[in-house]
Amino acid sequence: DSGSVVPYPSLVAQSESTQRNTSKSGSASTAAMGTSSSSSSSASALIISACDKAGMEGIDRTRVDEIIMRESAGSVYMKQQQKRDQNVNVKIDELKQKLAAKDYSMASINSNATSWRRAGEHALEPIIDELVQSRPRRSTCVVVDMDGFYISCELLSRPPELGNLPCCVGGNMITTSNYVARRYGVRAAMPGWIGDKLVEELSNGKERLIHIPSNFDLYTRKAHIIRGALAEYDPNLRAYSLDEAYLDIGPYVDLRVGRGWSHERVVATLASTSKHSCEDKEHVDEEVGNEEEFIHCNVDISAIAAVVKEMREKVKVATGGLTCSAGLASNFMLAKIASDQNKPNGQKVVGPSHKEVLEFVHPLSVRKVPGIGRVMEKMLNAFDIHIVHDLYKERALVQFLFKPASARFLLRASLGWSNDSLDPSAPEDDEVGSSSSASGQKGISKERTFSAGKSWEELNSKLEDVCRSLSQSMVEKNIKAHTITLKVKLHTFDVITRAKTMPRGIVLQNADQMIVEMTEMLLNVKRQHKGTFSVRLLGVRCSNFQGDEERSQDSGQMDISKFISTCSPIRASHNSLVHSTGTTKMTSRIEKKVDFAQKGAQTDAQVKNTDISSFFSKEKGWNKVEEFETAQVLDSGTNSTHALHSVDPGNVSSVPASR
DNA sequence: TACATACAC
DNA sequence: TATGGTGTATGTA
């Protein structure tokens, strides 16, 4: 922990400056201290969506922001956002204090306040080496992202002239806008009336935003068609959402380009091997034998790109004209980022070499990294970290400032290979007796927003509706849960949650049962909030599913298993690929698929080669690094690095093939 | 386990 | 007038 934080004069002053901003945020005065005006002026950046969405380059952001701010001014929602913003400011100040304390203490030891960073960088070297070395060597990861999916689906069946007008899906809340609307700043998650204002004012009254009601059946149908087309290239693709899919086309490319097979022949081969692979590993292993010689032909990257292009064309044809964009890279984080670069209807390739990867990611805003949102962006900015290169440059600082998981994630991001932060909720066909807990889903929930100020009876009625709806879904999916959570959003947008785990032997699925629990809980919440209990949303969530118990109880391997579980199966498969090519043992693509199919991925002991979590685990982690720094600074000893090195392998090699 | 946050689509 | 729903992960107590 940060230990005792010494309140230095300058820091106190800075804290106060933040407090002062509470009164009026938005365009409040810039932070008082010269250190690095962290908080205030970027307040709006957190409140307004600062991220440049595809199709919004070069628009008049100041006018857009101005209109949004004007329209939102004084709303309860905006007050809530400002509160959140202030909380982030406080966090930033705390981090700055922590840093100042560190610099101070290290300076007292060494007189050079920044030498600890160099020591930290040194300690990170082996970890970085390991990561860079185990990086996948081919760019066969593809992220396919439909262009303005919902709105494009809608426009498909309407007069083409509509496409030239600003359109969106959604009424009160916009879910997607077309590229014409985006040029007016109209985007997903924006309230409808603000979209209206933007179009009206920025077109000088010449245009109006057209709203089209959403039709999820349509999008779902189209999504299935899309997946069908894509699955020819990777039968094990991951559909992350209706409009996004993650593929590894390595196997396809090897056969199609490497061996010169016809598309049809490749598709047939891939399909036959993949389906069995889910259940019948041994069978697949046998087939692997046949494929032994074929591993990884050196396929030119432009040939891979051509395959992607062809694939996108097939999607377009299959859907009757929907376009998509794609990113092609050596891992899914890069592919995801790349998929956005040439939107709409474009693709981007990132080569696999370390150099190419860094040239691609380092100039990007940190916000482009999937997993870095508005809050993290703001915190990083406060420390003058704006682009990914800064993230790398300041890696020691980052390791010091953030908690292990975040630090680890950020380090990897700075090298262009972060966790993919995708947890595929495996939407596709649920196979035989999948009790759906087998799908890896962790929770299920329903929530409903309504106008605040309902009577107590009305509230309870709403709550019952939500319970029944949730119960129905759980019955359909054959889910039984142990824990139930009530979510209440007050008219102030403050959110309260209350959870209860049922006594042993009692499971939740039945609606009446849930209603009993939830109404009691709601009553308690109401009592705790005497007087002011105006509610705008009620939600119920069930988690802790029955049948998930026996799955994860390998106590000894907490660190590893945790890493693996946060590591998307997709990437797990890549790790194994890399590992196998890195050593002499050749693992075939088929086996890779097996990994891929094992959504739990618990067994993949090979992941160890890229696991850095153990370097940062409780005893051996950053604390160790800190020890090292201290030693380094004190007597410039060097053997601690050694210790850091040797910590891992023994611990890791005993990862059981659990299951 | 309980609660709050951040993040993604 | 007025800002969604579903799901996961992480941190802290």
Side-chain angles (χ1 to χ4, degrees):
Chain A
D1 236 319
S2 58
S4 55
V5 175
V6 193
Y8 304 98
S10 64
L11 296 165
V12 172
Q14 178 153 23
S15 268
E16 283 169 355
S17 82
T18 300
Q19 295 303 327
R20 244 180 285 121
N21 288 344
T22 317
S23 50
K24 183 193 167 74
S25 80
S27 59
S29 59
T30 46
M33 294 315 301
T35 43
S36 82
S37 66
S38 66
S39 332
S40 52
S41 73
S42 54
S44 64
L46 196 146
I47 292 167
I48 301 180
S49 34
C51 133
D52 316 61
K53 191 102 165 100
M56 300 184 66
E57 306 81 9
I59 65 175
D60 189 351
R61 186 157 295 270
T62 43
R63 281 201 70 192
V64 170
D65 287 355
E66 185 198 332
I67 294 173
I68 294 175
M69 286 303 264
R70 167 160 49 79
E71 290 304 310
S72 307
S75 70
V76 188
Y77 172 80
M78 196 48 81
K79 285 195 173 65
Q80 174 66 25
Q81 290 301 96
Q82 287 165 354
K83 200 157 85 188
R84 278 186 52 202
D85 188 68
Q86 273 312 121
N87 290 339
V88 176
N89 286 340
V90 170
K91 255 196 220 165
I92 289 172
D93 279 348
E94 285 168 2
L95 287 180
K96 291 206 164 175
Q97 291 205 23
K98 184 180 165 180
L99 173 60
K102 175 79 171 176
D103 281 338
Y104 182 84
S105 70
M106 296 315 280
S108 68
I109 292 171
N110 189 321
S111 86
N112 181 350
T114 58
S115 65
W116 65 266
R117 300 184 195 219
R118 253 172 276 129
E121 285 164 19
H122 189 253
L124 286 170
E125 270 172 30
I127 300 167
I128 293 174
D129 286 349
E130 179 79 23
L131 265 172
V132 170
Q133 201 184 338
S134 56
R135 205 194 267 289
R137 294 201 275 92
R138 298 207 308 170
S139 290
T140 61
C141 293
V142 185
V143 170
V144 177
D145 192 315
M146 301 302 298
D147 303 324
F149 184 48
Y150 297 169
I151 187 65
S152 301
C153 286
E154 297 295 344
L155 292 177
L156 219 47
S157 58
R158 278 165 231 261
E161 307 88 82
L162 259 191
N164 303 321
L165 303 174
C167 302
C168 67
V169 172
N172 294 330
M173 188 62 66
I174 294 168
T175 58
T176 330
S177 53
N178 68 355
Y179 282 78
V180 181
R182 286 183 200 191
R183 297 217 63 83
Y184 292 114
V186 177
R187 46 167 307 156
M190 175 179 278
W193 79 89
I194 291 183
D196 295 340
K197 279 281 182 204
L198 284 171
V199 172
E200 189 186 325
E201 292 195 26
L202 295 179
S203 73
N204 295 318
K206 284 201 272 265
E207 300 209 88
R208 290 194 52 170
L209 180 61
I210 296 163
H211 294 257
I212 298 171
S214 62
N215 176 358
F216 276 88
D217 286 345
L218 172 63
Y219 317 144
T220 308
R221 269 198 313 271
K222 290 287 184 193
H224 281 303
I225 294 172
I226 294 162
R227 285 169 205 173
L230 295 178
E232 296 192 340
Y233 295 83
D234 176 5
N236 295 310
L237 70 93
R238 279 305 210 248
Y240 183 69
S241 64
L242 284 182
D243 81 320
E244 244 184 84
Y246 291 65
L247 297 80
D248 184 347
I249 59 170
Y252 178 96
V253 162
D254 287 334
L255 295 177
R256 175 82 188 279
V257 184
R259 285 197 177 181
W261 288 11
S262 74
H263 173 76
E264 289 69 25
R265 185 176 173 198
V266 177
V267 171
T269 304
L270 292 183
S272 69
T273 50
S274 84
K275 266 311 167 191
H276 301 315
S277 70
C278 294
E279 330 247 287
D280 188 0
K281 187 175 166 123
E282 305 217 346
H283 168 65
V284 172
D285 280 343
E286 281 169 30
E287 292 200 20
V288 166
N290 306 336
E291 312 279 348
E292 204 42 74
E293 82 269 23
F294 116 107
I295 330 263
H296 299 343
C297 327
N298 261 343
V299 177
D300 189 72
I301 195 162
S302 61
I304 309 183
V307 167
V308 173
K309 187 140 204 239
E310 177 191 281
M311 184 170 72
R312 293 198 297 117
E313 191 54 36
K314 290 208 173 175
V315 167
K316 187 172 175 184
V317 171
T319 54
L322 295 181
T323 64
C324 61
S325 301
L328 175 61
S330 52
N331 66 65
F332 285 102
M333 169 196 140
L334 293 175
K336 168 72 178 143
I337 298 174
S339 73
D340 203 52
Q341 297 244 316
N342 289 322
K343 246 177 183 314
N345 197 16
Q347 62 185 57
K348 162 87 185 170
V349 180
V350 182
S353 74
H354 188 58
K355 183 164 173 287
E356 288 167 297
V357 167
L358 294 192
E359 280 175 359
F360 175 71
V361 280
H362 273 188
L364 299 175
S365 157
V366 291
R367 186 60 213 278
K368 291 290 181 190
V369 176
I372 297 183
R374 304 211 273 232
V375 171
M376 180 59 91
E377 179 190 32
K378 177 162 169 156
M379 294 203 289
L380 291 172
N381 286 350
F383 289 90
D384 260 311
I385 296 170
H386 296 95
I387 61 176
V388 177
H389 179 67
D390 300 333
L391 206 52
Y392 179 75
K393 222 173 42 190
E394 298 291 345
R395 56 197 179 282
L397 173 63
V398 167
Q399 295 302 311
F400 171 72
L401 287 179
F402 296 99
K403 297 290 186 270
S406 306
R408 207 158 56 228
F409 162 75
L410 292 171
L411 177 67
R412 297 188 61 127
S414 76
L415 297 169
W417 187 11
S418 89
N419 290 357
D420 293 272
S421 77
L422 317 164
D423 337 290
S425 46
E428 209 68 62
D429 42 357
D430 257 3
E431 293 295 337
V432 213
S434 66
S435 67
S436 182
S437 63
S439 81
Q441 190 177 13
K442 301 269 175 59
I444 184 168
S445 64
K446 295 284 174 197
E447 61 184 60
R448 213 46 65 185
T449 294
F450 40 80
S451 57
K454 295 240 179 288
S455 72
W456 179 241
E457 289 70 29
E458 286 172 312
L459 275 190
N460 278 285
S461 166
K462 292 276 182 203
L463 186 57
E464 291 180 18
D465 292 345
V466 173
C467 285
R468 272 191 275 270
S469 168
L470 178 59
S471 170
Q472 189 190 333
S473 295
M474 290 174 70
V475 171
E476 281 165 8
K477 297 185 169 188
N478 189 22
I479 290 174
K480 297 189 172 80
H482 291 128
T483 303
I484 187 164
T485 307
L486 171 70
K487 173 174 171 181
V488 177
K489 181 143 63 174
L490 304 176
H491 81 289
T492 54
F493 288 87
D494 287 310
V495 175
I496 300 160
T497 60
R498 293 284 180 270
K500 174 178 177 178
T501 299
M502 307 305 286
R504 270 259 174 264
I506 299 186
V507 287
L508 296 149
Q509 189 182 52
N510 174 288
D512 293 329
Q513 186 188 7
M514 290 168 41
I515 290 170
V516 171
E517 298 296 337
M518 290 296 89
T519 47
E520 186 190 340
M521 227 176 237
L522 182 61
L523 184 59
N524 284 334
V525 173
K526 178 185 149 91
R527 288 206 184 107
Q528 289 164 20
H529 277 253
K530 256 214 184 100
T532 63
F533 197 62
S534 179
V535 177
R536 85 185 323 275
L537 171 148
L538 286 173
V540 179
R541 170 182 161 87
C542 281
S543 54
N544 206 348
F545 294 162
Q546 181 185 48
D548 281 358
E549 293 92 350
E550 63 270 38
R551 213 167 302 276
S552 58
Q553 15 95 295
D554 48 312
S555 47
Q557 301 293 338
M558 240 6 187
D559 228 20
I560 301 298
S561 63
K562 202 170 174 186
F563 170 74
I564 294 176
S565 69
T566 59
C567 153
S568 128
I570 299 170
R571 197 162 49 77
S573 79
H574 249 279
N575 287 344
S576 73
L577 170 65
V578 170
H579 175 251
S580 54
T581 54
T583 60
T584 354
K585 181 200 164 210
M586 301 275 250
T587 310
S588 106
R589 64 196 177 79
I590 308 290
E591 184 177 338
K592 192 176 66 174
K593 267 199 238 272
V594 173
D595 290 340
F596 205 171
Q598 285 170 350
K599 286 176 297 211
Q602 316 87 320
T603 66
D604 194 0
Q606 315 204 6
V607 164
K608 72 185 178 205
N609 266 13
T610 52
D611 178 20
I612 62 169
S613 70
S614 54
F615 289 108
F616 289 101
S617 66
K618 287 188 183 65
E619 288 84 30
K620 309 155 194 159
W622 177 253
N623 292 341
K624 201 76 184 177
V625 175
E626 282 190 325
E627 283 170 27
F628 164 76
E629 293 162 18
T630 314
Q632 174 89 352
V633 172
L634 283 175
D635 61 4
S636 59
T638 50
N639 46 6
S640 312
T641 318
H642 214 335
L644 201 63
H645 243 327
S646 56
V647 157
D648 183 49
N651 183 19
V652 131
S653 59
S654 59
V655 173
S658 69
R659 175 97 199 146

